[in-house]
Amino acid sequence: MNDRRPADLPDHLRHHIGGEPVDSVDGGTFEVLDPMTNEPYLTAAAGRAEDVDRAVAAARTAFTDGPWPGMVARQRAGILNKIADAVAAQDQRLAAWETFDTGLPITQALGQAQRAAENFRFFADLIVAQSDDSYQVPGRQLNYVHRKPVGVAGLITPWNTPFMLESWKLAPALAAGCTVVLKPAEFTPLSASLWPQIFAEAGVPDGVVNLVNGIGEQAGDALVAHPDVPLISFTGESATGEVIFARAAPRLKGLSMELGGKSPAIVFADADLDAAIDSTLFGVFSLNGERCTAGSRILVERPIYDEFCAAYAERASKIIVGDPSDPATEVGTLVHPEHCAKVLSYVELGRTEGKLLAGGGRPPGLDQGNFVSPTVFADVAPEARIFTEEIFGPVVTLTPFDTEPEALRLANAVKYGLAAYLWTNDLERGHNLAHRIEAGMVWLNSHNVRDLRTPFGGVKASGLGQEGGYRSLDFYSHQQAVHVSLGPVHTPKFGARS
Ligand code: NAD
């Protein structure tokens, strides 16, 4: 026991199926580690196919026989708003749990908890305001769109900002009237264990939300392959997305995939340099660098390259790395020793692929836990693996460019296409370049802030489909066309000739 540990932590997590906490049918469990010590601090039930079967059956019954899918929007929205209230009311506790489990700095975990509440409020508002199309053919037909929830949605989420990313799927799925089975990431299942009580107290009927903990290749795979789950919303690595795509193919499931990224930040010489440095530091070192939209490749126009590199490295080397529960901490611990080892292996590789300007391994004095110093490599060529591969940690590359076409070529030179950040005071150039960058989302003179109504998603290896606003509701809905005749129907009379 130590004083970082929130007082009310459980030591065992169960599944939540049909309104009941349950262990796995075979009694299997897995251990979850404290990322500061890498000691196990709880066990969680390890779901397998039979547990997923039970969860899907509960969700299916709630969908076919329960009130949720047919509830009027205002009533469903009322429940979603109660969920938001409950999340907001325990944001401090949620942040403390998330920080303990993931290593995310506490101030940033608090922001993510508040964002989770906002996601529910936002989708509550959307369904109340939603309208669907109707078309009239005067005197002949009325055609209208009848929107209905698809069924049981399988939601599979990653370990970075887990509670918030779960809310980003749970809120639209529930708003649309689907019932769900959630499979949280096995590295970080703690905060998801708060959902069942939140949902029950807000009035979500039993069986509408089911939660199965477990390993991706077991519980996750069983959910993807299940015949009664027509939709899978997945956020995680591109390689996992490919496996899920193949596994879902025989049943032609609906797929929404938010995958990996290696996003460029392009800084032109005419940019506001101070703002660009603040923003590109935040863009890659916030959330411990474990951020899908991290601007982890910074491309800088040659005339300001040296000045930018020096100023950037100086600031990076002053970032406060430490205990994630300390409000002064800017970078905490990475989520898991396996992930930390992967990030550190890229840092070692980087020494051969670029010029080390800051960081370069463990911070001095922090010998235990998954700490990695904010690390900056300069003069990195586009062929380098640290330039092309997603590291998902506090590591950034700096590369100079001479012309706008070269900047574009470098920006598009990787397999990913999630986000891009442009820094220039030439708006014409900014817009034109934004349109030509292969990225689902572009920020011009800004880091990653977005209105929840805008599309969210990536192109190339970064994703499939787009969520955000009504797009998310569309994914969880069938839009059925109903054609109503308003007058005599002129039908060719087959078989009526004598
Ligand atoms: P991951 O792909 O290893 O795991 C994600 C989830 O998938 C986990 O719940 C895991 O258990 C499950 N899973 C693993 N194998 C599976 C299988 N064969 N079948 C079904 N489920 C399986 O990803 P991660 O390491 O947890 O998360 C980090 C990755 O997520 C990074 O690549 C990051 O860029 C990406 N990410 C993307 C976005 C986005 O919006 N584009 C957001 C956050 C994270």
Side-chain angles (χ1 to χ4, degrees), residues 156-160 165 183-186 214-217 220-221 224 234-238 240 243-244 258-261 291-292 390 392 418 456 462:
I156 302 179
T157 47
W159 47 255
N160 64 317
L165 283 175
K183 207 301 281 172
E186 56 267 44
I215 308 302
E217 291 78 2
D221 181 71
V224 171
F234 169 74
T235 299
E237 288 182 27
S238 300
T240 314
V243 172
I244 290 177
E258 306 289 0
L259 307 176
R291 174 178 207 136
C292 55
E390 184 182 43
F392 217 57
L418 190 57
F456 185 97
S462 290

Side-chain angles (χ1 to χ4, degrees), residues 372-436:
V372 176
S373 291
T375 296
V376 182
F377 290 108
D379 305 347
V380 178
E383 301 74 35
R385 283 180 56 207
I386 59 167
F387 186 93
T388 56
E389 297 177 16
E390 184 182 43
I391 299 175
F392 217 57
V395 181
V396 69
T397 64
L398 303 178
T399 303
F401 69 87
D402 289 300
T403 63
E404 200 178 304
E406 186 189 2
L408 182 66
R409 221 173 22 253
L410 289 169
N412 290 343
V414 300
K415 70 174 184 176
Y416 297 104
L418 190 57
Y421 306 86
L422 299 179
W423 287 89
T424 176
N425 274 328
D426 179 342
L427 275 186
E428 191 179 313
R429 165 161 68 193
H431 282 286
N432 286 316
L433 204 53
H435 297 178
R436 297 174 67 198

Side-chain angles (χ1 to χ4, degrees), residues 227-361:
D228 290 334
V229 178
L231 289 180
I232 297 290
S233 177
F234 169 74
T235 299
E237 288 182 27
S238 300
T240 314
E242 289 173 21
V243 172
I244 290 177
F245 192 96
R247 285 289 278 161
R251 295 186 191 277
L252 298 173
K253 296 195 179 201
L255 294 174
S256 175
M257 298 216 185
E258 306 289 0
L259 307 176
K262 187 76 180 178
S263 301
I266 306 179
V267 185
F268 286 92
D270 66 0
D272 176 338
L273 203 56
D274 290 340
I277 285 178
D278 285 346
S279 183
T280 51
L281 281 161
F282 182 81
V284 72
F285 296 121
S286 56
L287 308 182
N288 297 340
E290 297 163 324
R291 174 178 207 136
C292 55
T293 49
S296 52
R297 291 184 295 137
I298 306 181
L299 312 174
V300 186
E301 200 170 10
R302 184 91 57 188
I304 58 161
Y305 182 69
D306 290 343
E307 184 190 353
F308 186 95
C309 287
Y312 193 91
E314 194 199 340
R315 288 276 297 277
S317 63
K318 288 188 191 153
I319 289 175
I320 300 167
V321 184
D323 179 345
S325 65
D326 181 343
T329 291
E330 292 170 321
V331 169
T333 52
L334 300 192
V335 69
H336 192 273
E338 273 171 31
H339 183 60
C340 187
K342 178 185 143 186
V343 172
L344 285 171
S345 76
Y346 276 108
V347 170
E348 284 315 302
L349 177 66
R351 291 173 184 276
T352 66
E353 291 188 326
K355 181 172 155 201
L356 182 67
L357 295 188

Side-chain angles (χ1 to χ4, degrees), residues 71-144:
M71 200 178 271
V72 295
R74 175 73 70 193
Q75 195 182 352
R76 209 188 288 140
I79 295 176
L80 296 179
N81 275 318
K82 283 189 191 154
I83 296 169
D85 291 343
V87 170
Q90 54 185 302
D91 59 356
Q92 301 283 346
R93 178 193 194 201
L94 245 165
W97 281 34
E98 200 79 312
T99 287
F100 189 82
D101 195 32
T102 66
L104 205 61
I106 186 80
T107 50
Q108 299 170 37
L110 187 61
Q112 297 296 322
Q114 289 156 354
R115 183 67 176 236
E118 181 57 21
N119 283 336
F120 278 92
R121 265 189 235 298
F122 172 74
F123 284 105
D125 288 347
L126 275 200
I127 54 170
V128 171
Q130 189 166 27
S131 63
D132 281 305
D133 294 333
S134 65
Y135 311 87
Q136 293 193 43
V137 186
R140 291 195 207 159
Q141 268 196 345
L142 169 68
N143 305 331
Y144 65 90

Side-chain angles (χ1 to χ4, degrees), residues 15 26 34 36 40 68 84 107 118 150 179 187 196 230 242 253 260 277-278 289 315 323 347 379 403 441 486 491 493:
H15 312 305
D26 71 0
D34 166 356
M36 278 279 279
W68 190 256
T107 50
E118 181 57 21
V150 175
T179 61
F187 282 178
E242 289 173 21
K253 296 195 179 201
I277 285 178
D278 285 346
R315 288 276 297 277
D323 179 345
V347 170
D379 305 347
T403 63
M441 297 166 281
L486 296 178
T491 312
K493 291 184 177 296

